[in-house]
Amino acid sequence: MATQYGIAGTTAKGIAASVERGVAEGALNPGDALPPVRRLADGLGVSAGTVATAYQELRRRGIVVTRGRGGTVVAAAPTVASRRPPKVPPGVRDLAGGHPDPAFLPRLVPPSRLSPGARSHRGTPRLAQLEEAVRAWMAPDGVPTEGVTFAHGALDLIGRLLSVELRPGDAVAMEDPGYHHLLDLVTALDLRTVPVAVDDEGIRPDALRAAVRAGVRAVVCSPRAQNPYGGCFSAERRDALVAVLRERPEVLVVENDHASAVAGAPLHTLTSGGLARWVHVRTVSKFLGTDLRWAAAACDPTTLARHDGRLLLTSGWVSHLLQETVHGLLADEATRASVARAGESYARRRSALVGELARHGVEARGVSGMNVWVPVRDESAVVNGLRSHGWWVAAGARFRLASGPGVRISVADLEPADAVRLASDFAAVLGESEATYGG
């Protein structure tokens, strides 16, 4: 039980706020147990029903979870704070961040004028030349591009759509393991996550069918470079998933093609399957720069109207200065050549690590993208063991809902020569883990 933080309050709202404050300030950590209902009620001089109501509110908002006889504990990723990774210790090689190799990023030169003049930004929120560039970018991959829109990054767009389309308590099918910020976003919107298992071809049709028949209102998935597992849709998998989704045409399908140009795999998009409600999202942060907080999306007419209607009421538009910068880079021949080299290098580095691990008898997943997922029995033992060898990798807990443990290794700047040493160290750490922890 957590004993270093005194929960206060005389009402359910006050007690819940006290627990939330403790979590936000770090006095209550993931896994810390809260006092049993009757014990806390006696200590605060309130009824057991008041404490039970407070705990119920905390559960509803994803701050705590109940484990039967294990009591009520702080959630692994409480929604008052995203699943932020621990700070990288000094003196180790960071392979946990998932960032692109800076060597392949272009130099960002913004337009010379900070204002385009008296143009109505709300009346013309998107630059026509960038709209056409987006259509030319997506259409060859089979994405319908009659309706396109922009947002301040993929999370901004997906969060806006889910908040418009769904209501608190609605269920969303999410990849498992999946991108931790998306998992946190869904919980923060007071929506329920339904885990959908993935493999080398992305989300599995049987798992998706179970989620759809269970009543999910939306599906969020990656067609390639799935983070962290690395799967990508084949044409056959795409067709099987579309067949499942056609059973529930009202379900909104959100396809997050976050790595696109550097995914190292062709796109087999669900949006080409004649679905009723869909959106295909692309960003440029993985190959043009992490500070370019811009996303493009192609949508069905209803989804487009709902997104843009809410955007108009909030930020109104995406900075035209940002749009001009993105357009200039997308149109630049040297930049396109650098992006192509980046995609080839990431594929070579990813394959090198998977191959080296296999040579040591270590299974690893990663057929596309910038990450490799390695199933392990004890995440902490592996992370700490690799740290002692000078490597810092991401524990899989941030990415998982119901799937088994693992670690994620970002390979964007891991040269094949370095992969040889990392794989050897990884195998050694697994051997040490088995000797110490029995697996």
Side-chain angles (χ1 to χ4, degrees):
M1 180 186 300
T3 59
Q4 301 301 312
Y5 180 78
I7 299 173
T10 57
T11 65
K13 183 176 181 180
I15 295 168
S18 176
V19 172
E20 181 174 357
R21 185 165 54 252
V23 173
E25 294 174 352
L28 291 172
N29 297 305
D32 282 349
L34 302 188
V37 169
R38 291 192 180 279
R39 184 184 304 171
L40 183 57
D42 290 343
L44 297 177
V46 299
S47 71
T50 298
V51 175
T53 300
Y55 282 12
Q56 182 180 27
E57 172 65 13
L58 292 166
R59 282 194 300 271
R60 187 184 67 80
R61 293 171 52 211
I63 297 173
V64 302
V65 295
T66 298
R67 295 177 175 171
R69 294 185 178 181
T72 299
V73 302
V74 178
T79 58
V80 296
S82 184
R83 306 183 195 203
R84 294 173 181 169
K87 291 183 178 179
V88 180
V92 298
R93 178 81 175 272
D94 181 12
L95 300 178
H99 305 303
D101 186 342
F104 295 114
L105 299 180
R107 182 181 178 187
L108 300 183
V109 181
S112 57
R113 291 185 304 160
L114 293 181
S115 173
R119 181 172 59 209
S120 170
H121 290 67
R122 289 186 183 273
T124 55
R126 296 182 293 276
L127 298 182
Q129 63 265 37
L130 186 53
E131 277 198 40
E132 289 310 307
V134 166
R135 290 189 171 93
W137 182 21
M138 294 184 179
D141 290 325
V143 179
T145 58
E146 289 80 4
V148 299
T149 190
F150 303 156
H152 302 92
L155 289 172
D156 174 65
L157 186 143
I158 294 171
R160 184 175 297 110
L161 276 177
L162 294 181
S163 65
V164 170
E165 296 281 346
L166 278 62
R167 296 293 177 266
D170 284 347
V172 182
M174 304 293 294
E175 296 167 328
D176 183 26
Y179 183 41
H180 56 96
H181 287 309
L182 275 174
L183 297 177
D184 293 341
L185 174 63
V186 169
T187 302
L189 292 173
D190 205 8
L191 304 171
R192 292 186 294 113
T193 56
V194 176
V196 178
V198 302
D199 58 23
D200 287 341
E201 295 184 68
I203 55 176
R204 287 170 28 191
D206 58 334
L208 179 63
R209 178 172 288 105
V212 168
R213 290 180 176 177
V216 297
R217 295 284 310 282
V219 175
V220 181
C221 61
S222 298
R224 51 185 172 177
Q226 194 273 341
N227 186 1
Y229 202 89
C232 59
F233 293 165
S234 63
E236 294 77 14
R237 175 60 57 88
R238 183 266 319 278
D239 293 344
L241 295 173
V242 167
V244 171
L245 292 166
R246 282 177 175 166
E247 297 177 9
R248 296 288 188 275
E250 72 279 4
V251 171
L252 174 65
V253 178
V254 180
E255 190 173 70
N256 181 21
D257 191 20
H258 65 97
S260 59
V262 292
L267 177 68
H268 297 288
T269 175
L270 299 174
T271 66
S272 64
L275 302 176
R277 301 297 313 283
W278 58 271
V279 56
H280 177 88
V281 189
R282 289 189 185 180
T283 59
V284 296
S285 59
K286 294 299 184 186
F287 55 90
L288 294 184
T290 53
D291 278 332
L292 289 178
R293 307 309 299 167
W294 173 85
C299 320
D300 69 85
T302 300
T303 302
L304 178 69
R306 291 179 179 177
H307 173 271
D308 285 2
R310 180 60 60 88
L311 179 67
L312 183 65
L313 295 173
T314 52
S315 56
W317 67 90
V318 175
S319 163
H320 284 195
L321 183 65
L322 175 59
Q323 291 187 48
E324 289 183 19
T325 301
V326 171
H327 178 261
L329 290 171
L330 290 178
D332 180 64
E333 290 290 344
T335 298
R336 287 204 291 264
S338 180
V339 171
R341 288 194 300 272
E344 294 167 358
S345 296
Y346 296 158
R348 184 170 60 253
R349 294 168 185 179
R350 185 184 64 250
S351 297
L353 180 58
V354 172
E356 288 297 327
L357 287 169
R359 199 166 62 84
H360 288 275
V362 179
E363 176 192 8
R365 321 307 305 182
V367 297
S368 64
M370 301 163 60
N371 302 297
V372 169
W373 177 260
V374 187
V376 298
R377 293 184 181 180
D378 189 319
E379 293 177 0
S380 296
V382 171
V383 170
N384 291 327
L386 286 174
R387 175 182 177 178
S388 69
H389 286 270
W391 307 101
W392 187 246
V393 301
R398 289 187 293 140
F399 307 92
R400 298 188 289 109
L401 293 170
S403 57
V407 296
R408 190 192 75 170
I409 305 174
S410 297
V411 300
D413 63 350
L414 184 73
E415 292 288 355
D418 297 326
V420 175
R421 183 168 66 88
L422 174 57
S424 177
D425 291 342
F426 203 112
V429 167
L430 288 183
E432 295 166 2
S433 173
E434 289 177 359
T436 304
Y437 301 100

